[in-house]
Amino acid sequence: MTSSLRAGVVIPTVAALKVAISLSGLPDLLRNDHQLSSPLTSFSQLQEGLYLFKHGIDPYSGGTFRHSPLLLALFSSVLPTSTLFAAVFWALSDAVAAWALVEIWRARQNVSSSTRDGLVALGYLANPYTILPSLALSTSTLENTLLLLAVMFAAQKKAAPSLLSLAFLSHLAPPAILIFPPLALLLLTDPHSHLASPQKLSLNKRRIFPLVLEFLIYAGALTFASTLVAGSWNWIPQTWGTWLTLPDLTPNPGLWWYFFTEMFDHFRPFFLMVFSMHLVIYVAPLCIKFQHDPLFALFILTGVLGIFKAYPTLSDPGLFLSMTAAFPEIFPYLRHPIVTSLLHLHAALLLPLFHHLWLTQGTGNANFFYASTLVFACANGAAVMDSLWAGMRIAIGKNTEDYGIVQE
C-alpha cells in the first residue's frame, strides 16, 4: 500500500480540500437544501438563534428555534461563526470523525496500524452522503463526529470520555440515547470481531450500574448547564420535545414528515407513539442476538436510526454506510450487494431531481419527493438487512468450512 493511502496523509489532505471547496461559495447553494439539513441541524437557523440570544431575546419563545442551548453557548462565547471559521471547523469535525473511525477499525482488528487505514478514512471522507451535509454546515456532521468518538473511546475502554460524548450527542439528538445499551456492552467486553464464534455473554450485571449512573450524571450536568444558558426550562419542549411531537413538517429524506402531513389530528398522538416506539423495539433484540459482538450490534442500530429517526439528513444513513469499512469480514457474506448499490444510485439521482421539480420548478408536488424518499428508505433498509444477514451467516460459513462442508 502506498504511503499516499495512509490515514495520516489522507485525512489532512481531504480536510484541506474541503476547506477550499467551502470557501468557493458552494455551501451557500447547499445550506438550505432539505436533504442536507433539517430544522434541527440547519446552520442558518443556528445563526438566527445566536442573533436573538446575543441581543437578549429568548430564541425559544418563537417556537422555530430547535438547536440545543449547548450550541448557543459554544458559538456565542467560544467559537465564532464567520464563514472561514465555519469552513475550517466543519472540515476539522470530518477529520476527527474519520480518525475516530480508523481507531475503531484498529481496535476491532487489535492492531496499532494497518495498510487499510487510509481506505477506512476515505470511507467516511469520500462518502457523498457525509460530504454534502458537511459542506452545507449541517450540525448533523457534528453529531456523527460525537457518535464515532463515543464508539472509539468505548472500544479503547475509556468509559468517561465515551459516556460524556454520548451524553453531549443525546442533548443534540435524543434518539442517540438508544445507542447506550450496546455502547455499555462494548465498554464491558472487547471490540474484536466474534461473529464467527457466537457465544452467550457472561456478564456481571453489577458492572452496568456504574456506567448507567455515570451517564446520568453527565446528562444531568449538561441539562443543568443548558438551563442556565437558556434562562428557563422552555428549551426542553422546543428541542427534545420536537423529536416526540413533530411540530415542524419541513420535508426531509425521512419517512415521518409526509405521513403526518396527511394525518388527521385526532389520530396524530397514537401514530406519534407508534413511530417513536418503533425505534425502541430494535435495541433489545440486536443487543441480545449480538451480545458476543456489541460493536456490530451498535453498527446495525446506527443504520436503523438513520432510516427511522424523525428528522434525518443524508448524513445519518451516510454514517452507517461509512462504518461498513470497519467491518470487512461481512463483505463476502452480503446477500444482494449489487441490488443495494443500484438502489442507492437510483435514490441518489431521484432525491435531488424530484426535490428540484417540486420546490424549485413547481412542476411537481409532495408525492414526487416522498416517492424518492421511499426509494431511499428501501436502499438504506436493504443495506441494513444485507449487513444483518452477513453478520448472522458468518458463523454458519465458518462452521461449514471447519467441517469441510460445501455450501450451495
Side-chain angles (χ1 to χ4, degrees), residues 149-395:
L149 285 175
V151 178
M152 180 197 73
F153 288 130
Q156 297 173 345
K157 305 305 172 196
K158 298 177 181 178
S162 176
L163 295 175
L164 182 58
S165 299
L166 183 61
F168 200 108
L169 173 61
S170 299
H171 266 260
L172 303 184
I177 198 172
L178 299 178
I179 297 292
F180 176 79
L183 192 76
L185 290 177
L186 182 59
L187 283 167
L188 298 176
T189 57
D190 65 76
H192 310 147
S193 177
H194 296 289
L195 294 175
S197 55
Q199 297 179 357
K200 185 176 180 180
L201 182 64
S202 179
L203 186 65
N204 186 352
K205 296 180 180 178
R206 293 181 180 178
R207 297 175 62 193
I208 298 179
F209 178 75
L211 297 178
V212 175
L213 181 61
E214 186 174 358
F215 175 76
L216 291 177
I217 291 173
Y218 292 145
L222 291 175
T223 301
F224 180 71
S226 298
T227 305
L228 290 180
V229 171
S232 68
W233 297 95
N234 293 338
W235 65 274
I236 294 180
Q238 296 299 323
T239 55
W240 297 350
T242 301
W243 293 92
L244 298 175
T245 59
L246 207 76
D248 195 318
L249 296 176
T250 301
N252 59 62
L255 300 174
W256 288 46
W257 67 274
Y258 185 83
F259 185 86
F260 285 97
T261 298
E262 303 295 325
M263 177 60 57
F264 291 111
D265 287 341
H266 56 280
F267 289 129
R268 184 180 172 88
F270 172 75
F271 281 101
L272 282 172
M273 182 270 294
V274 171
F275 274 56
S276 299
M277 292 303 299
H278 181 253
L279 280 171
V280 179
I281 62 175
Y282 292 96
V283 179
L286 286 174
C287 289
I288 294 172
K289 179 62 180 178
F290 295 105
Q291 57 184 290
H292 54 283
D293 198 333
L295 181 55
F296 187 77
L298 193 152
F299 163 62
I300 297 296
L301 188 57
T302 300
V304 172
L305 292 177
I307 301 172
F308 296 115
K309 67 191 298 187
Y311 290 96
T313 63
L314 293 184
S315 66
D316 293 296
L319 174 61
F320 170 77
L321 295 176
S322 297
M323 289 180 70
T324 57
F327 300 87
E329 66 269 28
I330 69 174
F331 293 164
Y333 296 90
L334 294 175
R335 193 173 189 184
H336 303 297
I338 295 178
V339 174
T340 301
S341 300
L342 290 176
L343 273 173
H344 268 288
L345 178 61
H346 190 51
L349 295 174
L350 286 182
L351 278 168
L353 175 61
F354 284 173
H355 183 269
H356 180 75
L357 286 176
W358 174 33
L359 295 175
T360 304
Q361 295 292 339
T363 55
N365 55 42
N367 294 322
F368 279 58
F369 183 60
Y370 190 62
S372 64
T373 64
L374 291 177
V375 176
F376 188 52
C378 289
N380 294 323
V384 172
M385 291 301 296
D386 256 4
S387 301
L388 187 61
W389 169 271
M392 293 188 293
R393 290 289 295 178
I394 286 177

Side-chain angles (χ1 to χ4, degrees), residues 17-28 83-88 135:
L17 181 61
K18 280 190 174 182
V19 173
I21 295 175
S22 298
L23 297 177
S24 67
L26 179 60
D28 294 334
T83 303
L84 176 60
F85 179 82
V88 173
L135 292 176

